[in-house]
């Protein structure tokens, strides 16, 4: 079973949470959560990269990497979800 198929089969927040806890280490989950927070702040467009890094206690490299995928890459993964939850 492919990972995407497994993710698509999850129906509740609890199922997603439990699957991620089994699949990822705590630090991997933390990194995913951090990137998601960066994406949400970048999408609002009201903070500089340094301000975001400082407020989340992360590196500007992380902020830059998320920004690249949010604004320049064609995947639109972050963007699609951010538009849906707006």
């Amino acid at each position: 079973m492919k990972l995407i198929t497994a993710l698509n089969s999850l129906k509740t927040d609890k199922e997603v949470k439990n699957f991620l806890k089994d699949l990822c280490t705590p630090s991997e989950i933390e990194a995913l959560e951090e990137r998601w927070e960066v994406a949400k702040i970048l999408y609002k467009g009201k903070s500089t990269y340094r301000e975001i890094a400082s407020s989340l206690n992360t590196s500007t490299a992380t902020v830059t990497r998320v920004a690249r995928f949010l604004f320049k890459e064609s995947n639109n993964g972050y963007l699609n979800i951010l538009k849906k939850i707006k």
Side-chain angles (χ1 to χ4, degrees):
M1 180 182 270
K2 291 186 177 187
L3 181 58
I4 292 171
T5 304
L7 289 168
N8 281 328
S9 75
L10 301 172
K11 303 293 183 214
T12 66
D13 289 350
K14 184 174 180 158
E15 287 180 348
V16 173
K17 180 181 178 180
N18 288 339
F19 182 67
L20 288 174
K21 286 171 78 174
D22 286 351
L23 184 66
C24 302
T25 66
S27 61
E28 289 168 334
I29 293 171
E30 186 177 312
L32 293 172
E33 290 174 341
E34 181 178 88
R35 290 178 200 144
W36 180 236
E37 289 303 314
V38 169
K40 291 189 296 186
I41 295 169
L42 284 168
Y43 185 66
K44 291 177 185 174
K46 297 179 182 178
S47 301
T48 67
Y49 289 13
R50 288 188 192 278
E51 290 170 340
I52 296 167
S54 178
S55 70
L56 296 176
N57 197 29
T58 191
S59 68
T60 54
T62 295
V63 177
T64 302
R65 185 179 321 114
V66 171
R68 185 181 82 228
F69 283 97
L70 180 59
F71 300 120
K72 295 181 181 174
E73 298 293 329
S74 62
N75 303 323
N76 293 320
Y78 286 126
L79 197 55
N80 286 335
I81 295 173
L82 288 163
K83 286 179 179 180
K84 286 180 184 181
I85 64 170
K86 186 175 179 184

